[in-house]
Amino acid sequence: MIARNNDKKVVCGRRALAEAVQRVALVTGERNRGVRLEFAAGEITVAAANPDLGEASETLACEYAGGALKIGLNPDYLTHFLQAVETEQVVLELKDENSQCLGQPVHPPGAEPPDERYLCVIMPMRI
């Protein structure tokens, strides 16, 4: 069952987010494979920490007007979604740190309406 009450929407560049997730995920290990996404007004920070390898974080501009929110996600699942989408921007719909993250492509104005069948569900992780 897919929840449809995710009231926080984040629109960001697909390529920039994919590259940041891939770089930050390099410090994750087998036991702690998650990355932390921190959302604040107008920005998203992708971060990870590993006691053996250190910490990494990158901040990107995005469209987000909600309150501060942090969520842990598996970088492999997020990367698979970002690589499968062909649009310039994606939207991530969130509710809280314990609820699923819904990802969809954002189509430019004037283009055909988005394909409602394409929806990625990523369950959160504890980090």
Side-chain angles (χ1 to χ4, degrees):
M1 185 161 102
I2 299 173
R4 294 288 183 179
N5 59 350
N6 291 7
D7 58 344
K8 296 169 181 63
K9 296 187 188 296
V10 180
V11 177
C12 57
R14 177 190 60 84
R15 184 179 308 245
L17 181 57
E19 291 171 355
V21 169
Q22 287 177 341
R23 285 189 295 267
V24 169
L26 292 174
V27 301
T28 62
E30 290 299 318
R31 290 182 291 145
N32 186 19
R33 186 68 183 135
V35 295
R36 185 176 61 251
L37 302 181
E38 299 178 22
F39 303 96
E43 68 180 28
I44 177 174
T45 300
V46 182
N50 183 324
D52 298 327
L53 300 173
E55 299 178 3
S57 70
E58 288 194 32
T59 301
L60 309 166
C62 70
E63 295 175 28
Y64 177 67
L69 175 69
K70 296 178 184 178
I71 188 168
L73 297 175
N74 183 312
D76 295 330
Y77 299 154
L78 185 56
T79 298
H80 289 267
F81 160 66
L82 295 169
Q83 289 175 344
V85 174
E86 296 177 354
T87 59
E88 293 291 323
Q89 293 187 316
V90 293
V91 61
L92 302 176
E93 297 178 11
L94 307 152
K95 180 179 177 184
D96 56 39
E97 64 186 26
N98 298 315
S99 299
Q100 60 194 353
C101 171
L102 304 178
Q104 288 184 299
V106 174
H107 293 273
E112 290 186 31
D115 188 350
E116 299 272 331
R117 296 175 298 162
Y118 190 85
L119 174 69
C120 179
V121 178
I122 304 173
M123 298 305 291
M125 298 177 65
R126 290 186 190 194
I127 298 181

